[in-house]
Amino acid sequence: MATDFSANLNLLCSYQRSIAEVCRKLKLNRQQFNRYLNGQSRPSRHNMRRICDYFGVTESEILMEHAQFEQMITLRRRPVERTELERPLTHLQTLYGHSQDLQKYTGFYFRYFYSFGNKGMVFRSLATIYREEGRYYWKNIEILRDQSTGRTTGLNKYEGLVFFLADRIYIMEYESLEVNSITQMTLYPSYQHRLDCLYGIQTGGPTRRGRKPGASRVALEYLGRNIDVKQALRQTGLFDPSTGAIRDDIASAIVNTIEPGDFVLEIEAP
């Protein structure tokens, strides 16, 4: 007479190549195993432990009511993580597969752009492009400071990915503390022997004041691969460009103006 155990054992075996292979790996007699499958006998405690260990279930589970056991095994075998991540990971792999080498651009940068939430002020933040296991990544730290006292009033941290596609460098970052914003940068590469600045356009929006999307010109000033990070962080914050605190060529390059006859915000290659 068939039992829940025999029905459950048959279900587990249906995921295997053959009954003969199961018996061979378990080192059990085929005739004896068939009696388990037919519900004619139950395995000894020792053999039950071997069967459970082989199929990755517990004894209490394999003795469950068959319908409940079948539902449990179906859910357990479903590749949830792969199903959920397969499509986005495929897109990322495609981009990485076409991306050119970015080793030249690894290191630290000051990032400059007109603040989306503080009109007329320029943000200087500290960023880095680094390589890990053949992929290039991005980190950026923005520190808000009181202009009169220099005390820190806010902090934003960003992480993201870097690609080099069709003569453009693309950086996609997200705010990693609250995960409430995404910024995308498109930059000109540098063909000078000595890397100085990268210029481009970025899109995003303020994280603390309003939710209006915006676009701005942006500059990355290369600092090198070995720097005093604490000293560099002390130089970050919001600055009035009229005070001369920012290099003149960078300050003029990131001004967001659309000339008469133009219809989109662009930036010329240096």
Side-chain angles (χ1 to χ4, degrees):
M1 178 183 293
T3 64
D4 286 327
F5 167 73
S6 63
N8 294 342
L9 184 59
N10 273 278
L11 175 65
L12 293 172
C13 288
S14 70
Y15 290 105
Q16 306 297 311
R17 291 183 179 181
S18 67
I19 302 297
E21 182 178 272
V22 173
C23 293
R24 186 168 58 254
K25 290 184 176 180
L26 284 171
K27 297 181 180 180
L28 290 176
N29 180 276
R30 174 66 182 270
Q31 290 183 337
Q32 181 65 37
F33 194 79
N34 282 340
R35 286 196 285 270
Y36 300 157
L37 292 173
N38 296 331
Q40 297 174 341
S41 66
R42 290 275 294 272
S44 66
R45 193 167 188 83
H46 175 69
N47 285 345
M48 178 70 83
R49 175 65 60 85
R50 292 166 64 187
I51 291 170
C52 289
D53 288 347
Y54 175 77
F55 288 109
V57 296
T58 65
E59 184 172 346
S60 61
E61 287 174 340
I62 204 170
L63 296 176
M64 290 168 58
E65 191 270 330
H66 178 64
Q68 186 180 0
F69 182 80
E70 184 176 22
Q71 183 179 28
M72 181 195 74
I73 293 299
T74 301
L75 290 173
R76 186 176 292 179
R77 291 182 62 85
R78 184 177 298 166
V80 176
E81 294 81 5
R82 184 180 176 189
T83 301
E84 292 176 348
L85 293 175
E86 187 173 9
R87 180 171 293 181
L89 288 178
T90 297
H91 294 316
L92 284 176
Q93 190 61 41
T94 298
L95 291 173
Y96 275 128
H98 287 78
S99 183
Q100 299 169 244
D101 184 66
L102 282 153
Q103 187 60 33
K104 172 182 177 180
Y105 300 97
T106 58
F108 292 89
Y109 297 82
F110 278 142
R111 175 184 184 180
Y112 298 91
F113 63 95
Y114 272 90
S115 170
F116 287 18
N118 301 272
K119 290 186 176 181
M121 302 295 285
V122 172
F123 240 129
R124 178 197 280 154
S125 60
L126 181 63
T128 181
I129 294 175
Y130 63 100
R131 181 177 179 177
E132 210 170 81
E133 297 182 352
R135 304 287 186 249
Y136 291 92
Y137 300 93
W138 164 269
K139 286 186 179 181
N140 178 49
I141 298 177
E142 293 177 354
I143 299 177
L144 293 164
R145 290 189 173 87
D146 184 286
Q147 295 297 301
S148 58
T149 65
R151 294 180 59 185
T152 299
T153 59
L155 175 70
N156 295 322
K157 291 185 176 181
Y158 298 84
E159 296 191 41
L161 309 172
V162 190
F163 304 98
F164 191 0
L165 302 166
D167 208 33
R168 294 292 182 273
I169 296 172
Y170 295 90
I171 299 174
M172 289 177 283
E173 66 175 7
Y174 69 95
E175 204 285 318
S176 58
L177 296 178
E178 298 180 11
V179 194
N180 60 4
S181 69
I182 295 175
T183 304
Q184 192 269 320
M185 277 184 282
T186 303
L187 304 158
Y188 288 107
S190 173
Y191 294 107
Q192 299 176 2
H193 178 70
R194 180 179 177 275
L195 181 58
D196 181 26
C197 286
L198 303 176
Y199 295 93
I201 299 289
Q202 64 182 13
T203 60
T207 57
R208 288 182 169 81
R209 298 185 183 181
R211 286 292 180 264
K212 291 192 296 184
S216 70
R217 294 184 173 117
V218 61
L220 300 183
E221 179 187 9
Y222 186 65
L223 304 177
R225 293 178 181 168
N226 298 293
I227 68 168
D228 185 331
V229 174
K230 290 184 178 180
Q231 175 63 26
L233 284 171
R234 285 194 286 268
Q235 300 177 56
T236 61
L238 281 169
F239 298 89
D240 182 343
S242 65
T243 63
I246 298 171
R247 279 173 42 179
D248 290 341
D249 58 331
I250 292 177
S252 60
I254 63 174
V255 173
N256 297 306
T257 56
I258 298 179
E259 300 297 331
D262 293 339
F263 296 93
V264 296
L265 183 64
E266 298 176 317
I267 187 170
E268 292 292 337

